[in-house]
Amino acid sequence: MNGVAPGRIQVTNHQRRFKIHRKPVARFCAALLRALKQPAQTLSVVFVSARRMRLMNHRYLARDYATDVLSFSYEGVIAEGFPFLGEVIISPEIALRQAVRYGVDPERELRKLLVHGILHLLGYDHESDRGRMSRVQTNLLRRKLLTQLPALAELT
């Protein structure tokens, strides 16, 4: 475990189209945070419909389209006895569309979005870091620890 406690990871499903396996999602996120050598923290992962994602993207970023993942950091907040890293919001519907468009496995796309969202919470910014976030994301997604966990969802 590299001496890093997992903290508390809450997984919530607010969409009905796809079955989300909450425990494997939480285990994946815990393994990811350990791989990144993060201290114990609270993390919230929320799955929403494409419609809800569009509304959130418009409300918080003034972008009128459904995006795949949003991250909201809550620096300085304590939740359930741990620092609150933040919230990662994902639309499985958009993840599936992207997987089909790019010819990749939907499960891999979902894992990529979780990694992407968590990296944003940790301060990575692909728009200004000259590819650093992309390299870290690619390296993480190659780790057996993160690829051999049970399925996170049924995206079919």
Side-chain angles (χ1 to χ4, degrees):
M1 286 242 203
N2 296 334
V4 179
R8 172 87 166 100
I9 298 168
Q10 179 182 358
V11 180
T12 309
N13 185 14
H14 288 297
Q15 56 84 50
R16 294 185 184 137
R17 186 168 176 191
F18 302 101
K19 182 169 177 62
I20 302 297
H21 304 294
R22 290 184 180 112
K23 286 183 182 179
V25 170
R27 280 189 234 124
F28 177 84
C29 293
L32 175 60
L33 291 170
R34 280 193 301 275
L36 291 164
K37 297 179 174 38
Q38 289 298 303
Q41 301 176 69
T42 299
L43 170 68
S44 176
V45 179
V46 182
F47 294 93
V48 299
S49 67
R51 181 178 175 273
R52 174 76 179 220
M53 184 62 95
R54 180 178 182 165
L55 292 171
M56 293 179 76
N57 200 25
H58 186 263
R59 178 177 182 182
Y60 296 106
L61 298 175
R63 298 175 181 160
D64 193 21
Y65 59 88
T67 190
D68 49 7
V69 60
L70 290 171
S71 297
F72 297 96
S73 179
Y74 294 95
E75 208 170 309
V77 174
I78 302 295
E80 299 188 31
F82 297 98
F84 187 32
L85 181 59
E87 236 175 351
V88 175
I89 317 258
I90 293 176
S91 170
E93 185 177 343
I94 302 299
L96 177 60
R97 280 187 213 161
Q98 289 179 171
V100 169
R101 182 180 320 138
Y102 301 129
V104 298
D105 177 55
E107 179 73 18
R108 181 166 174 76
E109 184 68 12
L110 187 60
R111 290 171 192 250
K112 181 187 92 173
L113 294 177
L114 282 165
V115 170
H116 192 86
I118 289 172
L119 287 175
H120 272 305
L121 292 178
L122 294 172
Y124 288 85
D125 183 357
H126 53 83
E127 294 181 14
S128 64
D129 69 5
R130 299 183 218 198
R132 182 168 186 254
M133 180 177 176
S134 180
R135 288 188 298 276
V136 170
Q137 182 173 295
T138 299
N139 288 335
L140 287 166
L141 289 168
R142 289 182 180 151
R143 292 188 181 196
K144 284 185 181 180
L145 172 68
L146 298 178
T147 59
Q148 293 181 342
L149 292 169
L152 307 181
E154 294 172 24
L155 298 181
T156 53

